[in-house]
Amino acid sequence: DDGRARDDDDDDYEEEVEHNLHHVMASPTAQMEALVAALQDPDTRENALLDLSKKRDMFADLAPTLWFSFGVVPALLQEIVAIYPLLNPPSLTNHASNRVCNALALLQCVASHPDTRGLFLAAHIPLFLYPFLNTVSKTRPFEYLRLTSLGVIGALVKMDDTEVINFLLSTEIIPLCLRTMELGSELSKTVATFIVQKILSDEVGLSYICATAERCYAVGTVLGGMVTQLAEQPSVRLLKHIIRCYLRLSDNPRARECLRQCFPDQLRDPAFTAYLKDDVATQKWLPPPLM
């Protein structure tokens, strides 16, 4: 019966979207607006989330349309809040993870767009994602959820906007990223390290992290731990971001002092860095400014 009801819902969804698209199939804008409208109805939302997340690169104005369409952002937040009870004890299924990650993909569009990024921050939307970054389960549904959530934050910091950095530093993003850098998969570690790197690249971010010896040590210790792990499981992509973090920290006197005590020996070892031999740019960052 449940299966038949689901099929009926899918048929209804397809009929509604077909009806909306029938006379405008040649118009991407009308197609986008019909799919966004389908987000407003709980019965058609799941399929609309899937379609929009797959086709989001086709629609240049998707972010403003999502943000300014009545009821759409609350619907996306409803998708996020609905899985909070599945976080602890960990009971997130692949299906539930995929569904909420489709919603997160749409929020990433909003975070990336210059017309909606400030509004996204002013509404404190990133805070809704932090419970996902606090999870520790290493199952695929949780790992995918953390990675997609980090992608939203990564989209924000990619813009090199001090307003973004100020907002993130007013939250718990640094400890959450450090946690992922310690416990996550290689891909999640890479995105989390990229976020820390972009925060450090801003003067406000560097000053914040280097304001106390404790913060410097916290970041330096996690970076060093990742380098040690890379000795067993090399990743050029991750190592690049780690080296950029070290290089930026070396611009600050307090951080340099901290790094003298926790800088990993592996980065002084030519045998360890040999797998960077084909990456001339990263090799140039390695020596001596740090020590």
Side-chain angles (χ1 to χ4, degrees):
D1 287 348
D2 288 347
R4 195 178 305 115
R6 198 177 300 117
D7 290 341
D8 290 343
D9 288 344
D10 290 347
D11 290 342
D12 291 343
Y13 165 79
E14 288 167 10
E15 284 174 19
E16 180 174 338
V17 173
E18 258 184 63
H19 173 74
N20 290 335
L21 300 184
H22 182 63
H23 62 295
V24 291
M25 283 303 291
S27 166
T29 299
Q31 186 180 2
M32 173 190 69
E33 289 172 350
L35 288 168
V36 170
L39 290 174
Q40 298 168 356
D41 184 344
D43 293 332
T44 58
R45 186 178 301 155
E46 182 171 4
N47 286 346
L49 285 170
L50 180 60
D51 286 351
L52 276 170
S53 66
K54 283 181 178 176
K55 299 174 181 176
R56 61 189 185 275
D57 293 336
M58 294 169 47
F59 307 131
D61 293 325
L62 177 58
T65 304
L66 289 168
W67 187 265
F68 292 109
S69 295
F70 178 79
V72 168
V73 172
L76 296 177
L77 295 179
Q78 192 175 43
E79 292 294 311
I80 289 170
V81 173
I83 67 161
Y84 284 174
L86 306 180
L87 302 181
N88 189 24
S91 51
L92 186 65
T93 63
N94 279 322
H95 178 264
S97 177
N98 290 340
R99 175 168 173 160
V100 73
C101 285
N102 288 333
L104 291 171
L106 299 185
L107 288 177
Q108 183 171 330
C109 290
V110 176
S112 302
H113 198 285
D115 292 346
T116 50
R117 186 168 62 247
L119 298 166
F120 184 83
L121 290 176
H124 290 197
I125 303 292
L127 299 183
F128 285 88
L129 280 53
Y130 286 9
F132 302 156
L133 300 180
N134 243 329
T135 59
V136 294
S137 171
K138 296 194 175 184
T139 62
R140 183 208 167 276
F142 279 95
E143 184 55 37
Y144 185 38
L145 180 62
R146 281 191 296 270
L147 182 60
T148 311
S149 301
L150 287 166
V152 179
I153 309 299
L156 283 171
V157 298
K158 202 179 283 186
M159 300 300 124
D160 295 319
D161 182 343
T162 297
E163 181 191 358
V164 170
I165 303 303
N166 278 320
F167 171 82
L168 292 175
L169 292 177
S170 73
T171 72
E172 292 296 302
I173 194 60
I174 298 289
L176 289 171
C177 281
L178 293 179
R179 184 189 192 120
T180 302
M181 288 157 68
E182 287 183 298
L183 301 174
S185 68
E186 188 241 328
L187 201 49
S188 287
K189 285 180 180 181
T190 302
V191 180
T193 309
F194 168 76
I195 293 168
V196 171
Q197 174 204 320
K198 295 298 281 185
I199 290 172
L200 283 168
S201 70
D202 189 281
E203 286 299 328
V204 171
L206 181 65
S207 297
Y208 176 88
I209 286 176
C210 299
T212 69
E214 288 77 15
R215 289 179 191 167
C216 286
Y217 279 121
V219 174
T221 300
V222 171
L223 290 171
M226 285 198 296
V227 170
T228 301
Q229 291 174 351
L230 286 178
E232 299 171 9
Q233 296 177 310
S235 165
V236 173
R237 178 173 50 183
L238 178 53
L239 184 57
K240 280 183 188 179
H241 292 304
I242 293 171
I243 291 170
R244 288 177 185 174
C245 287
Y246 275 127
L247 195 63
R248 179 59 173 151
L249 285 167
S250 72
D251 289 338
N252 180 275
R254 174 178 277 133
R256 279 202 301 274
E257 188 59 39
C258 291
L259 291 178
R260 285 195 179 92
Q261 300 172 49
C262 62
F263 188 70
D265 292 336
Q266 289 93 335
L267 290 183
R268 297 191 187 92
D269 180 359
F272 176 79
T273 56
Y275 66 91
L276 290 172
K277 64 181 183 300
D278 296 327
D279 192 328
V280 177
T282 305
Q283 276 194 319
K284 286 180 181 175
W285 300 330
L286 275 173
L290 292 171
M291 297 297 111

